[in-house]
Amino acid sequence: MTLITETMEPDTRERILVVAERLFRELGYQKTTVGDIAKALHMSPANVYRFFDSKKAIHEGVARILMGEVEVAAQAIMAKPGPATPRLRELLSTIHRMNSERFVGDSKLHEMVEIAMEESWEVCVAHMQTVVESIAGVVAQGVASGEFEAQDVPLTALCICQGMMGYFHPQMIAQAVNKPKPHAPIEQMIDFLLVGLATRKHS
Amino acid sequence: MTLITETMEPDTRERILVVAERLFRELGYQKTTVGDIAKALHMSPANVYRFFDSKKAIHEGVARILMGEVEVAAQAIMAKPGPATPRLRELLSTIHRMNSERFVGDSKLHEMVEIAMEESWEVCVAHMQTVVESIAGVVAQGVASGEFEAQDVPLTALCICQGMMGYFHPQMIAQAVNKPKPHAPIEQMIDFLLVGLATRKHS
């Protein structure tokens, strides 16, 4: 019996997060109660609290899943074979596209992002670090293959990430969509950053 | 008499803005009324309304002054003699420093920035355009002197500005100050952007 409960628990945890994500999208984070989540799962609120000690913990779990999908995609691009230049381009475009889909189009999800940044900053920071590490991975491969020149790979990755802030940061993506302003198209921004990485011919 | 009124009016307009800025800083924008501004100037609210048809118009006037100071500093750096590289560095650091002083340290002024971005976006956009033009001016000088290589100067300036978003944008400066996250120091970000501008030795 203990054995069954133990193997069931990760599944229940995941089911709670799937349902919570759906309700947060449908009703908004503020309006969704732990009671609503429990009801949708045909379980008692007390059972939900066995897995997550607060609504904030559920929110963090959902935020981790949404950010985790971006991290998995980034790591898959880093792990692909082939030249680093097109993969760095693909990596930066993919993060932009996935962040736009996840955190901007949907105003209810945007509320979740605002709350994650307000209440669970450490989850956001861990995500940023993983993204920077994926970029650093591709930059290191490009340095190894002679495509890129970078003295300090982690710092270079940080600068690339910083340079992409207008395309990566949920608040900045939302601002670019909602409020017209001077804005370079992403392809041209990536071109500009790649010029800085290109191997210089030393005389 | 008409002559005196006409010459007096620009001065009154300016006095209203100076007092409004002080009150916005002291009391906050929301808490300051047109009546407070009028009282501090020993004039009637009706007289204030002769110059500004709403509190929003006063707010825009103050925002224009604060942003205008940054624009004047940027244009002065653009107009200085000497090599473009140190001036581009100075220009980018100066915008960061002035924006930090103006819009972040002071929570009451930060409220003003939020309101400007919410209600007077066109004032913010005009400011961004002026900043991008100053950057473009220095880039063009660097291209002319052979220090920089840039096929499309306005686009390059836009990319530099976009790359500096974490150091220029009031909300992003505030976030960097209030919430620790992976963040490249500004000097190293500028170095990174300058590498992308440097003249390549063509074989």
Side-chain angles (χ1 to χ4, degrees):
Chain A
M1 195 61 194
T2 313
L3 202 75
I4 291 171
T5 312
E6 273 174 3
T7 55
M8 290 292 284
E9 287 197 346
D11 185 50
T12 307
R13 223 187 118 78
E14 201 171 299
R15 279 172 54 222
I16 293 170
L17 292 176
V18 168
V19 165
E21 186 192 331
R22 180 168 58 76
L23 291 177
F24 292 165
R25 280 179 195 262
E26 285 172 12
L27 310 175
Y29 174 73
Q30 301 287 12
K31 287 192 187 149
T32 304
T33 66
V34 173
D36 295 330
I37 296 167
K39 199 173 161 191
L41 286 156
H42 306 290
M43 59 172 71
S44 66
N47 199 36
V48 173
Y49 282 117
R50 280 183 55 221
F51 294 90
F52 296 95
D53 61 8
S54 63
K55 188 175 146 188
K56 186 188 164 198
I58 300 177
H59 176 270
E60 284 189 359
V62 171
R64 274 202 190 90
I65 290 176
L66 290 169
M67 293 175 186
E69 291 163 356
V70 180
E71 293 165 15
V72 167
Q75 283 157 347
I77 294 168
M78 184 177 80
K80 279 206 284 190
T85 308
R87 272 187 301 124
L88 185 56
R89 197 180 285 280
E90 186 187 352
L91 177 55
L92 302 179
S93 316
T94 300
I95 298 167
H96 169 65
R97 182 178 45 75
M98 292 185 81
N99 281 2
S100 302
E101 286 166 5
R102 265 166 192 65
F103 306 125
V104 182
D106 189 320
S107 70
K108 296 268 194 290
L109 270 189
H110 192 62
E111 184 198 354
M112 272 196 64
V113 171
E114 296 287 341
I115 290 161
M117 293 202 294
E118 217 42 67
E119 295 185 3
S120 308
W121 185 243
E122 67 292 349
V123 176
C124 303
V125 170
H127 172 63
M128 287 180 233
Q129 271 158 351
T130 308
V131 166
V132 173
E133 280 161 22
S134 301
I135 296 173
V138 179
V139 171
Q141 292 163 11
V143 171
S145 68
E147 287 166 81
F148 299 152
E149 209 170 293
Q151 300 238 316
D152 181 335
V153 170
L155 178 65
T156 301
L158 206 50
C159 289
I160 293 173
C161 210
Q162 196 88 27
M164 293 298 292
M165 188 177 274
Y167 312 88
F168 285 1
H169 194 300
Q171 289 175 323
M172 295 299 97
I173 299 175
Q175 207 165 81
V177 170
N178 299 326
K179 292 172 179 279
K181 65 172 168 178
H183 185 76
I186 183 168
E187 296 76 20
Q188 309 199 278
M189 186 66 198
I190 296 175
D191 285 343
F192 178 73
L193 296 174
L194 281 170
V195 170
L197 278 174
T199 310
R200 264 90 50 204
K201 290 185 177 64
H202 298 282
S203 52
Chain B
M1 193 61 193
T2 311
L3 203 74
I4 292 172
T5 310
E6 272 173 5
T7 55
M8 290 292 283
E9 287 198 347
D11 186 51
T12 306
R13 224 187 117 79
E14 201 171 299
R15 279 171 54 221
I16 293 170
L17 292 177
V18 168
V19 165
E21 185 192 331
R22 180 167 61 75
L23 291 177
F24 292 164
R25 280 180 194 261
E26 285 171 12
L27 309 174
Y29 174 71
Q30 301 288 11
K31 287 192 187 150
T32 305
T33 65
V34 173
D36 293 329
I37 297 166
K39 200 174 161 191
L41 286 157
H42 307 290
M43 59 172 72
S44 67
N47 199 35
V48 173
Y49 282 118
R50 278 184 54 222
F51 294 91
F52 296 95
D53 61 8
S54 63
K55 189 175 143 186
K56 186 188 164 198
I58 300 177
H59 175 271
E60 285 188 359
V62 172
R64 274 203 189 88
I65 290 176
L66 290 169
M67 294 175 186
E69 290 163 357
V70 180
E71 293 165 14
V72 167
Q75 284 157 346
I77 294 169
M78 184 178 81
K80 279 207 285 191
T85 309
R87 271 187 301 124
L88 186 55
R89 199 179 284 280
E90 185 187 353
L91 177 56
L92 302 179
S93 317
T94 301
I95 297 168
H96 170 65
R97 182 177 45 74
M98 292 185 81
N99 281 2
S100 303
E101 286 165 3
R102 266 165 191 66
F103 306 125
V104 182
D106 189 321
S107 70
K108 295 269 195 289
L109 270 189
H110 192 63
E111 183 198 355
M112 271 195 66
V113 171
E114 295 287 341
I115 290 163
M117 292 201 295
E118 217 41 69
E119 295 185 3
S120 309
W121 186 244
E122 66 293 350
V123 176
C124 302
V125 169
H127 172 62
M128 288 180 233
Q129 271 158 350
T130 308
V131 166
V132 173
E133 280 161 22
S134 301
I135 296 173
V138 179
V139 171
Q141 292 162 10
V143 170
S145 68
E147 287 167 82
F148 299 152
E149 209 170 294
Q151 299 240 316
D152 181 334
V153 170
L155 178 65
T156 301
L158 206 51
C159 289
I160 293 173
C161 209
Q162 195 88 26
M164 294 298 292
M165 189 178 273
Y167 312 88
F168 285 1
H169 193 299
Q171 288 174 324
M172 296 297 100
I173 300 175
Q175 208 165 78
V177 170
N178 298 326
K179 292 169 179 277
K181 67 171 168 178
H183 185 76
I186 183 169
E187 296 76 21
Q188 309 200 278
M189 186 67 198
I190 296 175
D191 285 343
F192 178 73
L193 296 174
L194 281 170
V195 170
L197 278 174
T199 310
R200 264 88 51 202
K201 290 183 178 64
H202 298 281
S203 52

